[in-house]
């Protein structure tokens, strides 16, 4: 099990560095599958999706930080458009994590699936994602920035996937290349990951005794440690590719990865 976690942690690092996924699209399906297919019963089996999501947000803190540093060094990261969104994303993360803990795990799973499907259809058929817009969009108003930030933080923390599923299409349609859009997804995932993880740990603190000694709230600490080491290695290995993938190919690969994750979540 832990070898598999290590290998998929490496894959999570790759997707974090190159696609801004924050690792959630790899970690959540993997942990959910391991906790359900392997026949885990009792308290853990009942909250398998919450454990997967909470552990994913914890891994995201480390992975997104490392990927942000790599993008900064590669000069693919533009900081100016990010700052107005940070506080609103953190607020949304509290709302999303709290909502996820109040629902049955199967509801969270189907929310994950439906959101993925909607994102895939939007990216594939609405103009502005696969082909870079010819004109940059106008700067968002304060109201639009607040709404977008809260929505990104809520959805990302609720599903444990980082903000890339919203921030990459958003930045892409505002004229950013895929290298810049995926780079910006990583620092924007950090406030969600920090606040979301704290929420899953603090508000579910009473669950630690029920789930076991290696749990902090809903966070599986052993899985977290193995995934973090794998993510670090994955990010280090693909760092030379940052900013060097052709834009159209980068966008198509992003979409293909979303489809793969959707299929996995439908069949488990």
């Amino acid at each position: 099990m832990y070898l598999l976690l290590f290998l998929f942690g490496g894959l999570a690092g790759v997707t974090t560095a190159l696609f801004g996924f924050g690792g959630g699209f790899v970690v959540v399906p993997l942990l959910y599958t391991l906790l359900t297919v392997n026949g885990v019963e009792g308290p853990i089996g009942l909250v398998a999706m919450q454990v997967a999501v909470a552990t994913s947000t914890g891994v995201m803190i480390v992975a997104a930080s490392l990927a942000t540093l790599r993008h900064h060094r590669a000069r693919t990261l533009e900081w100016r458009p990010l700052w107005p969104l940070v506080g609103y994303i953190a607020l949304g993360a509290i709302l999303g994590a709290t909502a996820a803990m109040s629902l049955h795990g199967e509801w969270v799973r189907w929310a994950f699936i439906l959101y993925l499907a909607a994102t895939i259809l939007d990216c594939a058929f609405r103009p502005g994602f696969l082909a870079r817009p010819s004109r940059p969009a106008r700067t968002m108003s304060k109201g639009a920035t607040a709404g977008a930030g809260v929505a990104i933080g809520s959805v990302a923390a609720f599903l444990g996937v980082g903000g890339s599923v919203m921030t990459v299409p958003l930045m892409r349609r505002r004229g950013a290349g895929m290298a810049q859009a995926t780079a910006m997804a990583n620092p924007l995932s950090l406030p969600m990951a920090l606040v979301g993880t704290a929420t899953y740990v603090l508000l579910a603190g009473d669950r630690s005794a029920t789930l076991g000694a290696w749990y902090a709230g809903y966070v599986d600490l052993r899985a977290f440690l193995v995934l973090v080491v794998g993510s670090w290695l994955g990010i280090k290995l693909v760092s030379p590719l940052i900013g060097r993938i052709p834009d159209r190919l980068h966008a198509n690969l992003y979409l293909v990865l979303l489809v793969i994750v959707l299929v996995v979540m439908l069949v488990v």
Side-chain angles (χ1 to χ4, degrees):
M1 173 178 172
Y2 290 106
L3 176 60
L4 190 61
L5 284 172
F6 175 77
L7 294 174
F8 274 79
L11 179 59
V14 171
T15 61
T16 300
L18 298 183
F19 301 98
F21 279 175
F25 281 117
V26 177
V27 174
V28 171
L30 172 66
L31 272 180
Y32 179 80
T33 301
L34 290 175
L35 292 172
T36 53
V37 173
N38 288 342
V40 174
E41 298 178 353
I44 297 176
L46 294 174
V47 292
M49 193 63 186
Q50 281 90 338
V51 169
V53 170
T55 306
S56 171
T57 61
V59 173
M60 219 175 294
I61 296 172
V62 180
S65 297
L66 292 173
T68 296
L69 179 60
R70 295 285 179 173
H71 277 283
H72 179 70
R73 289 175 176 173
R75 298 184 179 181
T76 56
L77 189 55
E78 186 178 353
W79 289 97
R80 189 161 46 96
L82 305 180
W83 299 119
L85 288 166
V86 170
Y88 296 116
I89 289 176
L91 174 61
I94 297 174
L95 301 176
T98 303
M101 287 189 295
S102 65
L103 295 176
H104 189 280
E106 192 66 11
W107 283 96
V108 180
R109 173 175 172 262
W110 277 105
F112 189 103
I113 289 170
L114 291 173
Y115 186 77
L116 259 183
T119 301
I120 290 166
L121 292 173
D122 180 72
C123 291
F125 296 108
R126 190 157 67 99
F129 183 81
L130 291 177
R132 186 175 180 176
S134 56
R135 294 182 180 178
R138 289 180 296 179
T139 303
M140 290 191 296
S141 66
K142 290 184 179 180
T145 299
V150 171
I152 290 167
S154 298
V155 171
F158 184 85
L159 303 179
V161 296
S164 70
V165 284
M166 299 183 76
T167 56
V168 171
L170 174 66
M171 297 301 180
R172 179 71 167 164
R173 290 200 169 91
R174 303 195 72 78
M178 280 300 294
Q180 289 74 34
T182 54
M184 287 188 281
N186 284 302
L188 286 178
S189 293
L190 282 174
M192 181 285 301
L194 288 164
V195 175
T197 301
T199 303
Y200 282 118
V201 170
L202 296 175
L203 295 190
D206 59 331
R207 290 276 186 172
S208 300
T210 305
L211 297 177
W214 282 92
Y215 279 84
Y218 281 125
V219 177
D220 184 332
L221 296 176
R222 284 177 294 192
F224 166 80
L225 291 172
V226 176
L227 287 162
V228 163
V229 174
S231 295
W232 169 79
L233 183 59
I235 291 170
K236 186 174 182 178
L237 288 174
V238 300
S239 291
L241 295 176
I242 290 176
R244 298 188 178 187
I245 303 174
D247 191 77
R248 185 65 182 253
L249 175 61
H250 204 166
N252 278 279
L253 287 173
Y254 182 94
L255 196 56
V256 168
L257 286 172
L258 291 185
V259 172
I260 292 172
V261 175
L262 177 62
V263 172
V264 170
M265 287 303 295
L266 283 170
V267 299
V268 296

